[in-house]
Amino acid sequence: MSKETPPKSLVSFCAAILPQEAGGPDPSDLAVKLMLYLKRLPKDFARGYLTAVNIFEAISYAKYKRRISDLSIEEREELIQKLYRNKITFNLIEALKALVLLVNGAYSNAPEIAQAFENPPVRPDVNLDTVSAGYFPSISRCDVVIVGSGAGGSIVARELSAKGAKVIIVEEGQHHASRDIRENMPLDRFASMYRDGGATALLGVPPVIMPIGKGVGGTTLINSGTCYRTPEKILDVWYNKFGLDFAQKDEFSQYLDDAEDTFQVGPVPLEVMGNNGLKTLQGAQKLNWKSGPLIRNAPGCDGCCQCAIGCPHNAKLGVHLSVLPVACQNGAKIVTDLRVHHVITEGSKAVGIAATRSDKSKIIIYADLVVISAGATESPGIIRRSDITAHPHLGRNLAIHPAVAVAGRFQEDIYPWRGVLQSASVEEFHDSDGILVEATATPPGMGSMVLPGVGSKLLNQIAGAKHLVSLGAMISDGPNGRVLGKNRTFLTYKLSDRDGKRLIKGIEVCAKILFAAGAVEVLTGVSKKSVLRNESEIKELASLADYKELHLAAFHPTGTVRAGSDEQICPVDKNGKLRGCENLFVIDASLLPSSPTVNPQISIMAVAKAVSERIIASYFS
Ligand SMILES: Cc1cc2nc3c(=O)[nH]c(=O)nc-3n(C[C@H](O)[C@H](O)[C@H](O)COP(=O)(O)OP(=O)(O)OC[C@H]3O[C@@H](n4cnc5c(N)ncnc54)[C@H](O)[C@@H]3O)c2cc1C
Ligand code: SF4
């Protein structure tokens, strides 16, 4: 299909969601942009999207004998409202709508995003020893090969290369320096820095959207930069229940200190926090609830709110700016655009990895040690493809910190995207209910995805987005998910009744904060009570909200190859070694035996350092 001719049904769908007659964009133009984005997503996803859009066109024909785009604006709204009454079509329209709004928002706000580039980077791009797979030999050898350059893999690379090991890091994504980030359109940044263009989700009721980073630096490239130490009560579980010696508090606290020093963490300064965080703190303070600026790894951050599509200022010190440069100075090399297929074994010993370039040609890297650090959703698949273990718990135990988004409308201008993307927290219900509230905005234009309704009402909501304060409430979950699949990851999640109720409580907590801060209404995301007009309406939520209908997102997958001393339930032993295979370690979010209950990057880095020290003691001393 040519760029100029998107399917008519797609044009129709754009016209139904954002009618031009009511001030929306030209639907043909929007459909062209949507097509360009769909082409960046997995083929089966794009195909499914277009099929679903065709179904709506067919429904329009059946009822009105005309395409949706040929209906009057009133007929279009009538049609969509009718479809909204059915749970299945409601969820489908909402899912399809999210992409229309993402594309529309990203394009219409591109000038605001580019304006932030007027401030130069606070530190120069670093020299990493990267080589694209196309220029890397088909067969090579090193001491240690590490799969994945994210929070876990980078620390192992830094620690082992410091002991003189010849390290090669294999990364499926690309290297994105700040100059590349500044040169690319927001949607291109989104599409290229996320696995499957950001279209990853867990199948379940309700489904959960779970984007995952892909690139040098892993998910730290696009994460929000929030840094929490692992809570002591979680360390007690890891030490006492799972037998992880390194989780002993005094020892682990040194690893946490190291991660925090590496990231130069500090509280978000109030001057750059922005109204999203400031209003949140005001609300929490009025309620006398435990709250404060978040601790982040972004010295010099100017609050441009683009963390989720790569920091254009090199302020956020993801591992690509803080850990990998040290590893490369120690001699480590990063091979990019290379997908590891499996671990090569001889008998019960790992001896290297087999990988595929984007043109499908093969690369083999032989090594004395293999470390899998591909993240909690990808590491189980690599292990399955390697046929080295049939451990029944491989891929199970997936915790994700499911989260709801709640927004408060204020009379005054807020501009939530002018300030730090994730800026302040309310911890009042963290210990008691496992609920952590974080003031979280999105890059300019990308937050309209969560706004309710369609047509002229939705356009009004978009126009009023500058009045919104946006909060996320995440819960410490189950674990209730699984990573299935061998060649391609397939994720499932079964939200438990207990966790579903806690998410609804999370919405109530956010609503209280927002009303206390002066919101005139709160958008709940609950279909039967999408808008609360005042605080007294909050109590209606518990009876009206069905957690199976919530719009959930998650950002913290952990636990799918958990470590511990019990060989029945832990595929990896307490030192990070995969059971049943010599010289093979798993070191990333998969290893965490239970949900850390807080944003996990610091915990992952600390665990990676702990396991690295054990590897050094066994192999390099
Ligand atoms: C939008 C977003 C915001 C977040 N915000 C925060 C935050 O503020 N604070 C926080 O603590 N956490 C945050 N997180 C989570 C945090 O970034 C991750 O938990 C952490 O980076 C995971 O580390 P990891 O080493 O397990 O995997 P990753 O950092 O994801 O690294 C894995 C790497 O392996 C590569 N890889 C995968 N498969 C292969 C293969 N077959 N071959 C080669 N390479 C492969 C991937 O491309 C990836 O680069 C956020 C996550 C998201 C998505
Ligand atoms: S808000 Fe995020 S993207 Fe913007 S400068 Fe700060 S860390 Fe970087």
Side-chain angles (χ1 to χ4, degrees):
M1 176 170 312
S2 88
K3 180 180 150 188
E4 290 74 26
T5 54
K8 289 206 169 111
S9 55
L10 194 62
V11 179
S12 281
F13 189 71
C14 291
I17 300 297
L18 298 172
Q20 195 173 16
E21 303 86 329
D26 175 346
S28 306
D29 185 42
L30 182 55
V32 169
K33 291 169 180 159
L34 192 52
M35 267 321 277
L36 287 175
Y37 187 61
L38 283 171
K39 281 182 183 166
R40 309 281 302 262
L41 303 185
K43 281 199 178 72
D44 42 359
F45 180 95
R47 226 177 284 130
Y49 191 95
L50 293 174
T51 307
V53 161
N54 277 335
I55 294 173
F56 290 119
E57 192 78 313
I59 295 173
S60 171
Y61 262 122
K63 187 167 163 48
Y64 299 99
K65 308 279 173 274
R66 277 171 290 151
R67 290 182 176 286
I68 300 180
S69 53
D70 295 333
L71 302 180
S72 70
I73 182 168
E74 292 79 18
E75 285 170 325
R76 262 181 259 160
E77 288 194 11
E78 180 192 67
L79 175 68
I80 299 269
Q81 286 314 331
K82 207 162 175 195
L83 294 170
Y84 259 174
R85 274 179 230 137
N86 175 299
K87 245 185 218 177
I88 296 172
T89 41
F90 170 82
N91 280 327
L92 193 57
I93 294 173
E94 285 294 294
L96 300 174
K97 183 184 105 179
L99 216 57
V100 174
L101 296 187
L102 174 72
V103 172
N104 180 58
Y107 274 93
S108 43
N109 287 275
E112 171 123 14
I113 290 197
Q115 208 183 334
F117 304 161
E118 282 168 18
N119 286 349
V122 289
R123 47 188 70 81
D125 283 329
V126 289
N127 285 325
L128 294 178
D129 189 355
T130 59
V131 55
S132 179
Y135 299 96
F136 195 72
S138 298
I139 298 184
S140 61
R141 159 159 280 288
C142 61
D143 298 329
V144 184
V145 63
I146 300 171
V147 185
S149 64
S154 62
I155 293 283
V156 191
R158 183 189 70 184
E159 296 300 307
L160 301 195
S161 60
K163 292 292 165 191
K166 187 179 168 208
V167 171
I168 295 180
I169 306 164
V170 179
E171 172 53 57
E172 190 176 355
Q174 297 166 345
H175 181 216
H176 302 267
S178 77
R179 62 175 175 277
D180 309 313
I181 290 173
R182 287 163 171 256
E183 276 167 14
N184 285 316
M185 284 289 290
L187 265 189
D188 288 333
R189 287 158 66 183
F190 194 72
S192 62
M193 293 180 183
Y194 284 82
R195 181 161 295 279
D196 291 336
T200 32
L202 299 114
L203 206 68
V205 184
V208 188
I209 294 169
M210 191 168 74
I212 298 157
K214 185 174 106 174
V216 171
T219 304
T220 75
L221 177 68
I222 47 80
N223 78 13
S224 313
T226 294
C227 294
Y228 267 100
R229 290 173 81 88
T230 325
E232 290 201 349
K233 70 176 184 187
I234 298 303
L235 291 180
D236 284 342
V237 173
W238 293 358
Y239 182 67
N240 294 320
K241 186 173 166 200
F242 290 95
L244 297 182
D245 301 333
F246 59 69
Q248 197 271 331
K249 280 175 214 158
D250 286 343
E251 184 181 341
F252 203 75
S253 120
Q254 295 167 32
Y255 304 131
L256 292 170
D257 290 346
D258 177 76
E260 288 189 330
D261 290 348
T262 301
F263 266 180
Q264 300 181 34
V265 305
V268 173
L270 295 182
E271 314 82 78
V272 296
M273 176 175 278
N275 290 330
N276 206 51
L278 291 172
K279 284 284 182 198
T280 305
L281 292 182
Q282 263 175 35
Q285 276 153 15
K286 220 159 165 193
L287 295 161
N288 214 6
W289 285 357
K290 190 177 172 198
S291 60
L294 279 166
I295 307 296
R296 294 181 77 242
N297 60 341
C301 163
D302 72 354
C304 75
C305 208
Q306 297 186 31
C307 322
I309 46 173
C311 176
H313 294 118
N314 280 347
K316 188 186 70 183
L317 290 175
V319 297
H320 54 300
L321 291 174
S322 53
V323 183
L324 292 170
V326 183
C328 289
Q329 274 161 24
N330 295 339
K333 186 177 254 328
I334 307 168
V335 187
T336 62
D337 312 283
L338 186 59
R339 176 176 164 80
V340 170
H341 184 262
H342 65 271
V343 176
I344 304 170
T345 49
E346 276 175 16
S348 62
K349 215 166 158 188
V351 295
I353 57 97
T356 316
R357 298 187 185 96
S358 50
D359 66 3
K360 308 278 182 241
S361 59
K362 309 278 183 233
I363 283 186
I364 287 178
I365 302 174
Y366 290 107
D368 298 333
L369 283 186
V370 177
V371 178
I372 303 180
S373 304
T377 61
E378 297 306 305
S379 289
I382 297 174
I383 296 168
R384 282 194 191 110
R385 293 197 288 276
S386 310
D387 283 331
I388 25 183
T389 173
H391 199 287
H393 282 257
L394 180 67
R396 288 181 186 263
N397 194 45
L398 172 65
I400 58 171
H401 293 164
V404 282
V406 182
R409 188 177 304 286
F410 287 72
Q411 246 144 14
E412 63 271 38
D413 285 350
I414 299 293
Y415 288 106
W417 54 85
R418 293 183 186 162
V420 175
L421 184 134
Q422 193 162 71
S423 53
S425 68
V426 182
E427 297 175 4
E428 184 72 15
F429 299 92
H430 187 238
D431 275 347
S432 56
D433 300 76
I435 299 170
L436 187 55
V437 174
E438 290 174 343
T440 310
T442 60
M446 294 192 172
S448 56
M449 293 162 73
V450 297
L451 295 175
V454 293
S456 44
K457 279 194 196 126
L458 175 59
L459 283 162
N460 285 340
Q461 294 276 2
I462 294 173
K466 64 179 181 184
H467 294 285
L468 297 180
V469 166
S470 140
L471 303 183
M474 72 178 199
I475 57 156
S476 326
D477 57 329
N480 300 318
R482 277 185 81 170
V483 177
L484 301 163
K486 199 167 178 180
N487 286 323
R488 190 163 162 72
T489 301
F490 180 71
L491 305 167
T492 62
Y493 193 77
K494 192 169 184 300
L495 186 66
S496 68
D497 190 53
R498 176 172 170 264
D499 288 347
K501 287 182 179 147
R502 287 195 298 159
L503 281 163
I504 292 169
K505 178 160 183 184
I507 300 175
E508 293 170 352
V509 166
C510 290
K512 283 185 185 159
I513 297 167
L514 292 162
F515 280 125
V520 290
E521 63 179 30
V522 168
L523 310 179
T524 62
V526 172
S527 61
K528 287 197 187 119
K529 191 75 189 166
S530 59
V531 181
L532 302 174
R533 307 272 173 216
N534 56 55
E535 216 198 316
S536 67
E537 290 185 1
I538 296 177
K539 57 183 177 300
E540 294 172 38
L541 269 181
S543 59
L544 290 174
D546 176 356
Y547 63 76
K548 293 187 174 154
E549 290 179 3
L550 292 177
H551 293 200
L552 297 186
F555 306 93
H556 304 154
T558 56
T560 52
V561 200
R562 69 178 155 189
S565 50
D566 183 344
E567 62 184 63
Q568 301 296 321
I569 60 166
C570 299
V572 159
D573 74 11
K574 61 181 186 171
N575 295 323
K577 192 184 85 59
L578 189 77
R579 291 198 151 88
C581 190
E582 295 310 306
N583 303 344
L584 178 56
F585 290 80
V586 181
I587 309 181
D588 59 17
S590 330
L591 214 59
L592 309 192
S594 69
S595 148
T597 76
V598 291
N599 310 51
Q601 64 179 348
I602 292 287
S603 302
I604 297 164
M605 292 165 72
V607 166
K609 170 128 168 105
V611 175
S612 300
E613 286 196 354
R614 279 148 178 81
I615 295 177
I616 289 165
S618 303
Y619 293 85
F620 296 97
S621 57

